[in-house]
Amino acid sequence: MLYVILWLILCVLVGAFASSRGRSFIGYALLSVIISPLISFIIVAVLGQVDKPAPASTDTSSAPQTKKDDSGLDL
């Protein structure tokens, strides 16, 4: 019984480690339940940090400016 509790605690720790690296807590916790917390920890460590895309900016100052036709001709 102690081994089962220790196994589940290690699985939760692997999930927390995965979450800190931008990966799925539930996914890696379940993966470590199925295979092994040690192997899952190694997988997360080797995969590394997830690069999150930069948020879209609403600043239009860098957008290309369109030139208005100020010739004064009304056609």
Side-chain angles (χ1 to χ4, degrees):
M1 183 67 173
L2 180 64
Y3 292 118
V4 173
I5 293 171
L6 182 63
W7 186 275
L8 293 176
I9 290 172
L10 289 174
C11 293
V12 169
L13 290 175
V14 169
F17 179 63
S19 178
S20 72
R21 294 185 161 261
R23 303 200 179 270
S24 171
F25 174 87
I26 299 292
Y28 282 94
L30 288 177
L31 179 70
S32 62
V33 166
I34 295 170
I35 57 173
S36 163
L38 178 63
I39 294 172
S40 298
F41 177 79
I42 292 170
I43 290 171
V44 173
V46 168
L47 289 176
Q49 186 82 17
V50 173
D51 294 330
K52 295 184 179 180
S57 175
T58 58
D59 182 23
T60 59
S61 63
S62 63
Q65 300 293 325
T66 57
K67 187 174 181 181
K68 291 178 99 177
D69 184 19
D70 291 334
S71 63
L73 298 174
D74 292 328
L75 298 177

